[in-house]
Amino acid sequence: MIELAASYVAGKWVTSTAATTVEVASPTTGEVLGTVGIAGDDEVSAAVAAARSALPAWAQTSPAERGAALGRLADVLTARKGELADLATAEIGSPRSWSTFGQVITATGVLRAYAAITPDHPFTTSRPSMTGGVVDVRQVPVGVVGAIVPWNTPLFIAALKLGPALAAGCTVVLKPSPDAPLTFGVLMEAIEEAGIPDGVVNVVNGGAATGELLTEHPDVDKISFTGSTAVGARIAASCGSRIRRCSTELGGKSAAIVLPDAPLEKTVAGLVGGVMGNNGQLCAALTRILLPRSRYHEYLTVLIAAVTALTVGDPADRSTDIGPLINKAARDKVEGLLRRARDEGATVLTGGERPDRPGWFVTPALVEATNDMEIAREEVFGPVVVVIAYDDISEAVSIANDSRYGLVGAVWSADEEHAATVAAQLQAGSIAVNSTAVLDFGSPFGGFKQSGIGREGGPEGITGFVEYQAIIR
Ligand code: NAD
């Protein structure tokens, strides 16, 4: 049993008698894995105050020192990667065969990228002024950042915020999701072991109410939010009314375009592995597979076989491909979307059943649909993939772009150059060619359209955590 207090402030977990406590349950067995306190007004204010008081000293450290600190943090987390992957598998249900990479190496990869980028980032540049003098353009830290994290890949998303925020010289108050807070106990130990000063990274645990307290706190300078589009819209509106800086990484309904010359077996193996990662609970999952009508049935046969062959079971078993969904509400949502898809005329080609076992399982599903159906338009956030036929490449591009989302995409072809040309026509933040690797650790990540505003990752990520200041002399 892990017991986490409501908040971690200036280097210490703080147990408050006023804070309520909730249980964290295994989505596989229902077993209680731990408890977590819920931060209220006092805990949030104390965490923000600690971040404010640590800000001047941290902002004055050199970029080289901040980069080195991020490198040490990556080292400590790497040394504990097995333990962290086990925790993610227990509380989220991520298959253990996936969680070392998906939940931990993604986080350490981002931190290492920032360790490399930060020392040479151009925090001050000079240019000639229009009147013959000089202008120094400085990038100064935006200040205290409230970083709100979802449950599906908590350590990775925390790293995607900590990396650029700490690189920029900001201090942070993290708010994990109450559905998956347990890895943050290890993360705070790692922050301490890496020698990151007390108060630079703080935590407030809790759900929507705690998130609202953080979003509305008068001494927070920026909110960096990752989660659903509905909550992101509320947070952006609240920040807008306060002229508070805000970036949002939101949902997706991303498309993978399979061009007619794509090699069948390799394409299907790559697609199914990527799309079903974390039991389909990934913002960047390629949940619409667009197939050329000329090869539609050939592809469908192989796709159905590949999805049906996935092993559903205990996520701790390393032969398992698909574990449970995070909770009952998630399973109800997935089942409801599949039911309405059938009502609308879609065909569930395989899966979508409840296996006879405890836990919030749905078997991986492949659904034949058209792009106007709800199942092709709404984020399912479960092991459900839609296949859609297209006649020519321009139609494939327009189907891919016919979505309110624009997070990622993929194009598969025997001709990589041609695939890259098609990729450039997609309205999405990152697009993989011949793979499902839509994230590069040293490059910007974020969405077009309702998938969010702003980028985290890479040098571009740092610019979201600074103010530009021009000194004209
Ligand atoms: P969610 O929006 O329900 O919650 C996200 C976080 O916001 C949680 O910590 C939650 O407690 C908090 N929160 C909820 N209501 C709030 C409010 N009113 N004010 C402040 N904070 C509030 O999302 P979720 O279910 O935790 O995560 C799944 C969603 O996250 C999916 O839509 C997925 O696509 C998205 N996601 C996006 C990315 C990305 O990088 N674009 C990455 C991972 C997940």
Side-chain angles (χ1 to χ4, degrees):
M1 264 288 269
I2 298 173
E3 288 176 24
L4 288 183
S7 58
Y8 178 91
V9 177
K12 286 188 187 56
W13 286 102
V14 186
T15 308
S16 146
T17 44
T20 48
T21 299
V22 295
E23 291 179 340
V24 182
S26 157
T28 310
T29 61
E31 176 201 353
V32 177
L33 304 168
T35 60
V36 63
I38 300 296
D41 216 345
D42 291 350
E43 289 82 11
V44 172
S45 287
V48 172
R52 176 64 58 194
S53 106
L55 181 64
W58 182 250
Q60 297 241 316
T61 54
S62 70
E65 284 173 75
R66 298 198 294 275
L70 290 165
R72 291 192 302 273
L73 179 58
D75 290 343
V76 180
L77 293 172
T78 301
R80 299 182 71 173
K81 69 173 188 282
E83 180 191 352
L84 285 162
D86 285 345
L87 264 178
T89 292
E91 70 175 344
I92 300 163
S94 309
R96 189 60 182 79
S97 54
W98 182 86
S99 58
T100 302
F101 178 79
Q103 297 286 9
V104 190
I105 293 176
T106 46
T108 55
V110 166
L111 294 171
R112 280 195 208 292
Y114 278 109
I117 290 167
T118 310
D120 299 323
H121 186 78
F123 285 103
T124 304
T125 55
S126 295
R127 64 183 68 153
S129 79
M130 300 303 281
T131 52
V134 171
V135 184
D136 299 325
V137 179
R138 303 178 65 226
Q139 296 182 29
V140 296
V142 76
V144 171
V145 173
I148 301 179
V149 172
W151 54 263
N152 65 326
T153 48
L155 206 57
F156 163 57
I157 300 295
L160 212 42
K161 301 183 181 309
L162 288 176
L166 299 191
C170 296
T171 55
V172 178
V173 178
L174 281 168
K175 197 209 74 67
S177 161
D179 282 319
L182 298 184
T183 49
F184 284 69
V186 178
L187 176 62
M188 291 308 112
E189 288 172 15
I191 297 259
E192 200 180 325
E193 206 181 323
I196 294 173
D198 291 349
V200 171
V201 182
N202 309 274
V203 176
V204 289
N205 277 313
T210 306
E212 278 175 20
L213 288 170
L214 185 61
T215 306
E216 291 165 13
H217 196 286
D219 211 19
V220 169
D221 297 299
K222 163 164 178 158
I223 292 291
S224 164
F225 172 79
T226 299
S228 60
T229 295
V231 173
R234 274 185 75 161
I235 288 178
S238 157
C239 287
S241 70
R242 293 171 171 78
I243 319 293
R244 177 158 303 162
R245 280 92 190 112
C246 177
S247 57
T248 49
E249 302 269 1
L250 309 174
K253 191 75 192 176
S254 301
I257 299 181
V258 178
L259 295 180
D261 63 352
L264 187 132
E265 305 287 343
K266 188 173 159 233
T267 305
V268 168
L271 274 175
V272 171
V275 168
M276 294 292 182
N278 210 27
N279 316 322
Q281 299 167 125
L282 289 175
C283 57
L286 296 153
T287 50
R288 291 181 296 150
I289 298 181
L290 311 190
L291 297 175
R293 206 177 297 281
S294 57
R295 297 187 68 190
Y296 185 69
H297 291 289
E298 189 189 352
Y299 258 97
L300 215 52
T301 309
V302 182
L303 266 172
I304 293 171
V307 171
T308 313
L310 293 170
T311 307
V312 179
D314 180 354
D317 180 338
R318 284 176 192 260
S319 64
T320 292
D321 300 306
I322 303 287
L325 297 172
I326 187 72
N327 52 32
K328 181 177 184 303
R331 188 180 65 180
D332 288 348
K333 179 185 168 197
V334 171
E335 288 179 342
L337 278 157
L338 286 170
R339 197 170 43 248
R340 293 196 297 278
R342 287 189 182 94
D343 292 347
E344 252 190 291
T347 309
V348 179
L349 299 162
T350 181
E353 313 284 339
R354 268 189 206 188
D356 184 19
R357 54 164 303 144
W360 310 116
F361 286 85
V362 174
T363 58
L366 198 60
V367 181
E368 187 176 48
T370 51
N371 202 49
D372 55 346
M373 295 178 177
E374 182 192 33
I375 196 79
R377 305 199 78 78
E378 296 302 320
E379 186 181 50
V380 177
F381 230 57
V384 177
V385 181
V386 168
V387 281
I388 300 170
Y390 70 85
D391 285 311
D392 58 43
I393 296 175
S394 65
E395 189 191 6
V397 169
S398 73
I399 294 172
N401 289 339
D402 180 14
S403 169
R404 68 187 169 111
Y405 295 112
L407 192 55
V408 303
V411 182
W412 295 72
S413 166
D415 179 346
E416 191 181 303
E417 287 301 316
H418 182 219
T421 312
V422 176
Q425 297 172 49
L426 299 185
Q427 296 161 349
S430 47
I431 297 128
V433 169
N434 290 337
S435 87
T436 51
V438 288
L439 171 84
D440 172 70
F441 295 143
S443 300
F445 183 75
F448 284 28
K449 300 189 270 185
Q450 291 193 20
S451 289
I453 298 178
R455 295 292 180 272
E456 287 167 355
E460 295 80 4
I462 295 178
T463 64
F465 291 90
V466 298
E467 295 284 5
Y468 283 86
Q469 182 182 57
I471 297 187
I472 302 145
R473 53 196 171 94

